Amino acid sequence: MSSFNSHNMIQALNEALDLYMAREDQAVIFGEDVGYFGGVFRVTDGLQKKYGAHRVFDTPLAEAGIVAMAIGMALENMKPIAEIQFADFVFPAFDQIVNELAKYRYRSGAQYTPKVILRMPYGGGIRGGHYHSQSPEAYFAHTPGLRVVVPSGPFEAKGLLLSCLDCPDPVIFLEPKRIYRASKAEVPSEYYTIPLDKAKVIRKGKDLTVVSYGAMTSTVMEAALLAEGEGYDIEVIDLLSLVPYDIKTIVQSVEKTGRCLIAHEAPRTCGYAAELIASIQQKAFSSLEAPIARVTGFDTPFPYTLENHYLPDAHRLFYEIARVIDYV
Amino acid sequence: MSDTPFSILNEDGSCASEYRNIISDDDLMHLIKLILFNRNWDKRMIMLQRQGRLGFYMTSTGEETTIYGACHCLNDNDPVFLSYRELGCLFYRGVEPERILNQLIGNAKDNCKGRQMPIHFTFIEHAIPSVSSPVGTQLPHACGSAYASKYQNTDKVCLAFTGEGTTSEGDFHTALNFSGEFEVPAIFLIRNNGYAISTPETVQTRAKSLAIRGEGYGIPGIQIDGTDILAVVHTMNEAVDRARSQQGPTLIESMTYRIGAHSTADDPTAYRSDDEVQQWQQHDNLKRMIDHAKWRNLWTDEIIHDEEKKADQIINETISSCEGWPPPEVETLFEDVYESLPPHLEEQKSEYEQYLNWKREHEIP
């Protein structure tokens, strides 16, 4: 019989790491402050004590070194799990991720297939200014060879992290830190996985499809409630995996609703929504009754004091939802 | 730290008797013959490139003693992270010339499926991970790989090559810092050949040597005469012993000279004098090895001719068996990005196949 615990996302991620570390003796966890302290967000809390400092450890402060070390370990079939303390700090490691990790399988003719998972808290809403708030998913989604996965709640966080750990490809695992502790959910205590090739319809509706991921998903659900109050029936899709992404589920939904809106926190130009819109209009053109809309962060650096204006909230989403539905 | 690089060999090819055992007579002659083969190979590859039969090539003339000497000190399963001028490591480990030329051509038999420029080799069965063009990225990989050796108790030592220009990259710093901190069995070997393409060594740093940087990372740093086979082997053996006995990494700076061009796309006469090159040719590392072999009474001048004849035959056979193969199949373009083909690549592949069919139907070349 499986049991459930009421966990927030931090606890769910910690449990996933714990289960994986217990199962895989080649797995190691490292990064800045992840060892003794258990991570600035406490995701790795208690793991060094349980698995030893040779398996869970702190590194010098160098993101490129953290990623490169993980690649080197994986060349020898270890299973490194590296944490980048904030996604905003990942850029010194960009070359190692984009030119090395992402391309190693391809360029070696699949002789070496380094499997590395990079966990990184991302996104705004914690009053962290430019450098503790950014959403860099589009940079990585643009790089062949990487998977990009984003959980939207505690249940998804544990199941997706375990799937990513089992997956043979390198993964950028973006953790929406705004909702790390925002809510609790029933999380099975056992080992379980969530498919990486399926988006999830988390609300059924017939008037408009909203596609989102990460922390924005719960904002979209709030907006759907506001819309319901006005008599609009909104379908909501939680993407879960950004690369590859489940275009089938989205197209099926849009063929039904005829209208679509994409929501994310990241800036608009060349943002992830642009890819979805291009794909949807190509595959569901004849079903569309209105231009596909996007609600995103602005093409500005992420602000500090005015972050509540930058981040799309439920009302801004509702405002755009109404415009798309009213389009004739 | 002394101002002159560590050396053992005297100018006349002799050495103090206590150093003679650093390398056996047989091994010395084996290395010399390998280097002779390598030089013949380089010469022919340059010709192929000039004739338009190869896209690109890089020679290692002037630096072979460092490359072969270092490989000689390792076990065959010790990972070696190449920068890009260490073809000798492949010959030393017995990679068949055919497999090397298939990579240089990028044909259907290339074990990397034609995915990289010439020289960017990978030979997993010889513990040679993938060569990358952005310089220095392999150095912190060696640290991770060496961490794995320690973690898995495999007793492997990781050797990472780099040029001196690369020591200005952040990855060099990170690799040494991490390796020192985690006390991993890694050796970082700088081939200081004087130039990063056209940029002289003096532009890279104000530091008086690169080896002294080891101290800043808490690891031994030794500068050696890279034309001196005994100095290379002695220093490498010490570094390997240190690594295998869990005493951590070593930084070696080997003073060499790149007698050839940076690559077939380079013209070194634009940035260095003939005099300088000639001086180094007189002090050539292979010549010094041969002088030492003469001092040991191992050398006859026929060897060069004999080895050239043998090499010519092997290289001719290799060229005729590697040329004429088609490029890899077009569908391989889409493979190995991920372990299996994801839907979006499946779609792109099939769209492209449709386009190719359309081209065929319309007889468009």
Side-chain angles (χ1 to χ4, degrees), chain A residues 105 147 168-169, chain B residues 334 336-343 345:
Chain A
R105 176 190 290 273
R147 282 176 179 266
D169 305 316
Chain B
F334 300 93
D336 304 326
V337 182
Y338 300 91
E339 194 201 40
S340 50
L341 207 60
L345 277 180

Side-chain angles (χ1 to χ4, degrees), chain A:
Chain A
M1 272 303 282
S2 69
S3 60
F4 288 81
N5 293 310
S6 179
H7 276 340
N8 64 25
M9 192 182 285
I10 303 271
Q11 293 165 316
L13 290 166
N14 183 276
E15 204 167 85
L17 292 170
D18 191 0
L19 285 168
Y20 190 74
M21 289 290 282
R23 197 190 78 179
E24 293 290 338
D25 67 356
Q26 291 300 305
V28 287
I29 295 172
F30 53 93
E32 295 162 9
D33 301 301
V34 304
Y36 182 77
F37 182 51
V40 293
F41 289 104
R42 324 293 301 142
V43 173
T44 55
D45 191 27
L47 297 177
Q48 186 182 71
K49 204 168 173 192
K50 188 164 176 184
Y51 295 103
H54 64 307
R55 294 193 63 195
V56 182
F57 55 91
D58 296 323
T59 64
L61 268 61
E63 290 75 15
I66 292 167
V67 174
M69 188 164 169
I71 295 169
M73 289 171 165
L75 295 176
E76 293 291 315
N77 300 314
M78 287 185 70
K79 296 176 185 297
I81 307 163
E83 177 178 300
I84 301 297
Q85 195 163 74
F86 285 84
D88 312 73
F89 304 164
V90 75
F91 301 109
F94 205 61
D95 183 44
Q96 285 289 346
I97 296 172
V98 166
N99 272 330
E100 300 296 319
L101 179 60
K103 295 179 171 66
Y104 221 108
R105 176 190 290 273
Y106 193 77
R107 76 184 204 214
S108 72
Q111 295 179 69
Y112 285 94
T113 58
K115 167 54 206 274
V116 169
I117 178 157
L118 299 176
R119 295 180 34 247
M120 54 190 95
Y122 87 102
I126 64 155
R127 298 190 65 76
H130 317 287
Y131 300 122
H132 302 80
S133 304
Q134 295 173 75
S135 296
E137 63 270 23
Y139 298 116
F140 299 114
H142 191 61
T143 300
L146 299 175
R147 282 176 179 266
V148 181
V149 175
V150 192
S152 51
F155 174 82
E156 292 78 13
K158 180 176 172 183
L160 286 174
L161 183 54
L162 286 169
S163 298
C164 290
L165 288 163
D166 274 339
C167 161
D169 305 316
V171 183
I172 306 294
F173 193 79
L174 294 165
E175 299 171 2
K177 60 181 174 293
R178 170 151 51 107
I179 55 168
Y180 261 160
R181 298 170 198 280
S183 61
K184 294 199 169 194
E186 290 300 296
V187 176
S189 55
E190 65 197 10
Y191 201 104
Y192 68 96
T193 55
I194 294 175
L196 293 175
D197 58 355
K198 284 300 283 180
K200 203 157 110 185
V201 178
I202 54 173
R203 189 183 202 279
K204 288 221 171 279
K206 58 178 180 18
D207 294 334
L208 174 139
T209 304
V210 182
V211 184
S212 193
Y213 49 89
M216 190 55 66
T217 308
S218 34
T219 315
V220 169
M221 291 299 272
E222 281 175 53
L225 273 181
L226 292 175
E228 191 181 288
E230 298 296 315
Y232 301 141
D233 190 11
I234 308 300
E235 181 142 310
V236 180
I237 295 177
D238 180 6
L239 211 48
L240 302 175
S241 172
L242 272 52
V243 180
Y245 62 97
D246 177 10
I247 187 68
K248 268 192 194 153
T249 297
I250 299 170
V251 167
Q252 269 167 19
S253 173
V254 174
E255 281 171 348
K256 180 178 70 177
T257 61
R259 293 166 203 267
C260 183
L261 181 149
I262 322 286
H264 62 58
E265 290 180 33
R268 178 169 302 175
T269 301
C270 294
Y272 190 77
E275 165 59 30
L276 288 183
I277 292 169
S279 259
I280 295 165
Q281 65 85 19
Q282 190 145 41
K283 291 178 199 301
F285 186 68
S286 55
S287 307
L288 286 170
E289 290 169 40
I292 303 169
R294 50 183 163 169
V295 178
T296 67
F298 301 115
D299 288 345
T300 66
F302 197 99
Y304 176 60
T305 309
L306 297 177
E307 81 169 337
N308 56 333
H309 288 277
Y310 179 96
L311 283 171
D313 63 10
H315 283 100
R316 195 165 129 203
L317 283 162
F318 168 70
Y319 173 75
E320 286 297 332
I321 285 170
R323 284 161 64 106
V324 178
I325 291 180
D326 293 345
Y327 180 91
V328 278

